[in-house]
Amino acid sequence: MMKEDICKLLNIKYPILQGAMAWISDSSLAAAVSNAGGIGIIAGGNAPAEYIREEIKKCKKLTDKPFGLNIMLLSEDAPKLAKIAVEEGVEVITTGAGNPGKYMDMWKEAGIKVIPVVPSVALAKRMERLGADAIIAEGCESGGHIGKLTTMALVPQIVDAVNIPVLAAGGIADKRGVAAAFMLGANGIQVGTRFLVSHECTIHENYKEAVIKANDIDTVVTGRSTGHPVQVIKNKLARQFMNLESNNAPVEELEKLGRGALPKAARDGDVELGSVMAGQISGLVNKRESVKEIIEDLFQEYDKVKNYFN
């Protein structure tokens, strides 16, 4: 079965969504991605609902192109964000950490495209049954919260399991990654880490510099014992986490250590005691660029790849 073209589905030039990164993906970054031909995503995370509403309004002033909102469904403000998306006319919603089923009818009636992030075939099938318009298959190479399977293993299995478009995420940093995603059967990609060092990303310069300086083995996964593993760049905080986990520390102690760690890095610039979330491809990210330059570089060979599959 031929799957719907993701660019036509979302009314965009390039088949790319910007990853939703809590405390990072704001109106500035989202608008820049949308203006460059993709879909920018504002990250809801655990931010107050009214703050996110204001970011949506700011984004509307910065772009007349489609953009989206990511809702972390375990957040206590998820029900508010679900309604705000409708009230503010958001065109795309991506979801994670939960089941969006109870909001689907409301979103569909509003004409919103719903694209859940999934780490497994079973969840992808469930999201398709609920009425998802597309799926983001996210491998464990990505930054932040991760699943178990690699992008290479996950994407083709999800592609074979569902009849809606699939976007590959995790470990994509350049045109080679884009080509590989399409070879695996994906209809598009989601990228997060490379956008961290874009001019339009408003995180602290210390965070950007940590990503640029990272090499191939500088990311580690912490939090496996809590059931919520996170990929970060190695620093003092990560070593403290790994030490506590190796000594079977209680979950409460680990959660206390990690509380507020992401904004500490992203906003305050503390890249030793803050959580510097980034993907395994950080070693491929070595210079600051505009969002437009990043997207155009990613899709240098897109026409060749697209023609190959047509």
Side-chain angles (χ1 to χ4, degrees), residues 43-255:
N46 283 312
E50 287 307 312
Y51 165 78
I52 297 300
R53 188 193 294 274
E54 290 305 309
E55 285 300 302
I56 293 170
K57 290 180 176 179
K58 288 180 185 177
C59 200
K60 289 178 183 177
K61 294 178 180 179
L62 295 170
T63 184
D64 59 357
K65 302 290 194 298
F67 65 90
L69 171 67
N70 175 266
I71 300 178
M72 188 175 70
L73 295 163
L74 290 180
S75 168
E76 62 180 25
D77 273 348
K80 294 180 182 178
L81 291 178
K83 292 180 180 178
I84 286 173
V86 174
E87 293 165 358
E88 296 298 331
V90 171
E91 297 188 45
V92 178
I93 288 177
T94 64
T95 66
N99 188 331
K102 62 183 177 180
Y103 307 118
M104 290 295 280
D105 287 344
M106 176 176 66
W107 291 339
K108 288 297 182 179
E109 287 176 10
I112 297 173
K113 300 294 189 295
V114 183
I115 310 178
V117 179
V118 302
S120 70
V121 168
L123 191 53
K125 288 181 175 180
R126 190 184 313 162
M127 294 301 102
E128 182 179 29
R129 289 195 297 269
L130 284 173
D133 295 279
I135 294 290
I136 299 168
E138 186 174 65
C140 63
E141 298 94 326
S142 62
H145 294 280
I146 59 171
K148 294 181 179 180
L149 295 179
T150 65
T151 303
M152 179 75 75
L154 180 66
V155 171
Q157 293 185 70
I158 288 183
V159 167
D160 290 349
V162 300
N163 294 311
I164 53 178
V166 176
L167 296 103
I172 301 171
D174 57 24
K175 60 187 178 183
R176 295 170 294 182
V178 175
F182 280 95
M183 288 297 292
L184 294 173
N187 306 97
I189 61 169
Q190 176 177 274
V191 170
T193 300
R194 190 163 175 190
F195 286 128
L196 288 171
V197 300
S198 66
H199 299 320
E200 297 88 347
C201 183
T202 60
I203 58 173
H204 199 283
E205 284 299 312
N206 292 353
Y207 199 125
K208 294 185 180 185
E209 193 64 20
V211 175
I212 288 172
K213 288 182 177 179
N215 63 35
D216 60 330
I217 57 171
D218 275 349
T219 61
V220 294
V221 177
T222 62
R224 290 198 188 279
S225 62
T226 69
H228 301 288
V230 176
Q231 187 132 235
V232 298
I233 291 177
K234 279 186 290 189
N235 61 4
K236 186 173 182 179
L237 177 68
R239 288 189 286 272
Q240 290 176 351
F241 254 104
M242 291 186 288
N243 182 57
L244 286 173
E245 289 189 281
S246 67
N247 288 292
N248 299 313
V251 171
E252 293 77 16
E253 189 173 352
L254 292 165
E255 289 178 343

Side-chain angles (χ1 to χ4, degrees), residues 274-292:
S275 182
V276 185
M277 296 186 184
Q280 290 180 355
I281 49 83
S282 295
L284 288 173
V285 180
N286 50 35
K287 62 180 178 179
R288 292 169 171 79
E289 298 174 281
S290 70
V291 162
K292 184 175 186 291

Side-chain angles (χ1 to χ4, degrees), residues 15-61:
I16 180 172
L17 270 67
Q18 161 244 313
M21 300 169 282
W23 293 100
I24 295 169
S25 302
D26 59 9
S27 55
S28 173
L29 180 57
V33 172
S34 291
N35 284 333
I39 289 284
I41 303 290
I42 295 170
N46 283 312
E50 287 307 312
Y51 165 78
I52 297 300
R53 188 193 294 274
E54 290 305 309
E55 285 300 302
I56 293 170
K57 290 180 176 179
K58 288 180 185 177
C59 200
K60 289 178 183 177
K61 294 178 180 179

